[in-house]
Amino acid sequence: MFQIYNWRENIFGGDSTLASYEGTKARKAFGQLQASVSDCRSFSGVSVAGKYKARITMDKGPDVGDEALSFHVVIPLPDGEGVRDEHHVFVRTDNVTASFTDTNVGRPARFPLGLVNKQVERLNSARRS
């Protein structure tokens, strides 16, 4: 499931994705992501704005679900006037993963923890039903 969030003061908005896995595959997928972002501190690519080099900075993951992680992907703007900041939160609850992303330009991005908590609470409630 994919959901888009429109923020009142941010034209980029945010999004969340839920994914369900068989058996222990969610735990394995989460572990692979955690290892990847722990090992990778920067990457480069090409976008419609041209070449870029991004850096990854880790945050403390929220205390939700069975495990969670949080990080930022920061990309300098081509004109040198600031950065694009993407805040990513990933949570695993049993065999479901939830990803949350917020993007901002010129100021830090932060996906609202209240929405993360609410979604994880719903996942936990559905699991008990």
Side-chain angles (χ1 to χ4, degrees):
M1 187 211 68
F2 179 76
Q3 182 175 6
I4 295 175
Y5 298 90
N6 293 308
W7 312 128
R8 184 170 291 170
E9 297 176 13
N10 183 352
I11 63 169
F12 294 101
D15 61 73
S16 66
T17 303
L18 300 178
S20 178
Y21 296 82
E22 292 180 319
T24 61
K25 291 181 181 177
R27 182 175 294 182
K28 181 178 179 184
F30 189 93
Q32 289 172 331
L33 173 64
Q34 192 168 33
S36 294
V37 296
S38 296
D39 291 343
C40 178
R41 291 293 175 217
S42 67
F43 62 92
S44 59
V46 178
S47 73
V48 295
K51 293 181 180 181
Y52 67 89
K53 181 159 182 154
R55 75 179 193 280
I56 297 174
T57 60
M58 298 299 295
D59 278 347
K60 181 182 182 305
D63 188 20
V64 296
D66 295 323
E67 51 189 341
L69 64 90
S70 175
F71 63 92
H72 288 261
V73 175
V74 180
I75 304 168
L77 297 176
D79 58 9
E81 297 291 322
V83 297
R84 171 185 165 141
D85 185 10
E86 299 173 4
H87 179 225
H88 299 269
V89 177
F90 289 86
V91 179
R92 183 188 64 80
T93 297
D94 196 29
N95 66 341
V96 176
T97 60
S99 66
F100 305 89
T101 304
D102 184 33
T103 302
N104 214 328
V105 171
R107 62 182 190 212
R110 175 74 47 196
F111 196 94
L113 187 56
L115 289 177
V116 173
N117 289 334
K118 189 178 222 178
Q119 185 62 51
V120 173
E121 188 176 289
R122 288 177 178 159
L123 291 171
N124 286 331
S125 178
R127 182 173 61 167
R128 289 187 293 267
S129 299

